Amino acid sequence: MVILKSQRDALLAPLQSVSGIVERRHTLPILSNVLLEKTGETLTLVATDIEIQITTSSHNVGGDGDASITVGAKKLQDILRSLPESADITLDLEDKRLVVKAGKSRFSLQTLPAEDFPRMAIAEGEQTSLSVTQKQFRHLIAKTQYAMASQDVRYYLNGLMLMVDGQELRSVATDGHRLAFNSMTIEAELPRQEMILPRKTVLELNRLLTDSDEPMRITLGRNQIRFAFGQTVLVSKLIDGKFPDYERVIPTQLPNQMRANRQALHAALSRAAILTNDKFRGVRIMLSDNTLRLIAANAEQEEAQEEIEVEYSGAPLDVGFNVTYLLDVLNNLGGDELQWSFNDASSSALITVPGNDHFKYVVMPMRI
């Protein structure tokens, strides 16, 4: 039975959209599969890892009748990628196997029943919705996601906190050593609500969203969040925990303020980082009148020194930071200029963008 006829890219594009969350090896074999559902001329693809579910559709596909089956997502994706771009693909269902045909190529794949596929239950009850563009939301999370923890025992740090409050949508991430905050204005007036998105959900959204003005609908539930954009719907469970009080972490009164060219500072830090130790990524920041010096060293007693011109007229300062934390923010900040505010060598510092009240980055110093 020919269940589907399609151009290669008409099948590969939606498959790539959903298969990012699929694990190759899973204790539950069906979770390595993608669900293919054909109804009329519409093909719907669904993938899940129990915590996240992604659904997307492809239209105007050919084939005989309706069908639903699950098949190994990565194998099908690898096969389609290896075929010519202009290839016409046929999917046949033969004796519980999915046969992929293109020209003289033929692949026979194992399947599992569609009825065994564990769809996520969509939460009911009181929900809040808001609309933003894909570009707005992608920029909101891109400026904070790098500060998320990874495999921290404080599980609530292994994600990103989203908050709606009135006409503001906020994004906050921290790993305990640095904190990134970003916000944007929304049209709706909404009651205050906090939620923690799992790390995998955030990375997947960053991969799927485009820098376009296409609309995106966000629906917030008690323990679930739903993102609908283009032909794609991503549903994710939320992390059940209490996020740190980030407002207390962001310093307000910092007497020593420096302005620098972002690209010049990034280049100097990147060069200095070459001679830092892999386990000890420390770099010394030495500030005096309109001059910033960077010094990095390693266990082999090798040393890098950099000096750039900045705007600074405060007290002389000698403070150490993890160079990775500095490069992370500079890679994602954008703009030509940044402001770096200090108190002393033992207090957290604040990086902001002149004229932009939406973004704040707090980084703790380290002993060098």
Side-chain angles (χ1 to χ4, degrees), residues 61-80:
V61 297
D64 304 329
D66 300 342
S68 57
I69 198 71
T70 80
V71 67
K74 299 294 187 185
K75 286 178 185 174
L76 182 57
Q77 181 175 297
D78 289 346
I79 288 168
L80 293 174

Side-chain angles (χ1 to χ4, degrees), residues 203-356:
L203 297 179
E204 203 59 29
L205 283 167
N206 192 54
R207 183 180 75 87
L208 292 171
L209 293 172
T210 61
D211 275 343
S212 73
D213 292 325
E214 293 291 315
M216 176 182 189
R217 190 78 179 163
I218 305 174
T219 306
L220 319 171
R222 277 186 55 198
N223 56 9
Q224 198 178 78
I225 189 164
R226 182 177 185 268
F227 302 91
F229 49 96
Q231 300 292 330
T232 302
V233 176
L234 187 154
V235 180
S236 172
K237 292 182 180 178
L238 299 171
I239 294 175
D240 184 14
K242 179 65 178 169
F243 202 77
D245 184 357
Y246 68 90
E247 289 173 319
R248 287 179 55 192
V249 174
I250 299 173
T252 52
Q253 299 296 322
L254 296 171
N256 300 309
Q257 298 184 349
M258 174 200 83
R259 283 199 178 195
N261 178 278
R262 182 185 68 86
Q263 291 174 324
L265 181 58
H266 182 272
L269 283 167
S270 297
R271 291 190 294 267
I274 295 168
L275 292 189
T276 57
N277 190 308
D278 286 343
K279 292 182 180 178
F280 182 77
R281 299 278 288 166
V283 61
R284 280 175 70 190
I285 306 285
M286 301 174 73
L287 274 170
S288 55
D289 285 345
N290 293 328
T291 301
L292 182 147
R293 288 184 66 209
L294 300 172
I295 299 178
N298 58 31
E300 286 80 40
Q301 296 186 325
E302 297 168 329
E303 186 179 82
Q305 291 194 29
E306 291 281 343
E307 188 172 303
I308 62 171
E309 289 185 12
V310 296
E311 288 182 34
Y312 183 74
S313 56
L317 198 63
D318 185 344
V319 57
F321 290 102
N322 183 315
V323 70
T324 301
Y325 296 164
L326 302 180
L327 288 172
D328 278 348
V329 65
L330 294 177
N331 281 330
N332 291 279
L333 202 52
D336 295 328
E337 198 176 38
L338 62 85
Q339 181 165 302
W340 198 343
S341 305
F342 305 85
N343 187 10
D344 54 43
S346 58
S347 304
S348 57
L350 177 68
I351 295 176
T352 54
V353 179
N356 178 356

Side-chain angles (χ1 to χ4, degrees), residues 21 34 68 77 79 82 89 109 127 133 142 146-147 165 181 199 210-211 244 246 283 288 305 325 339 368:
I21 61 169
V34 60
S68 57
Q77 181 175 297
I79 288 168
S82 68
I89 308 294
L109 300 175
Q127 295 183 332
T133 67
Y146 52 87
D165 188 6
F181 168 95
R199 178 185 179 86
T210 61
D211 275 343
Y246 68 90
V283 61
S288 55
Q305 291 194 29
Y325 296 164
Q339 181 165 302
I368 295 181

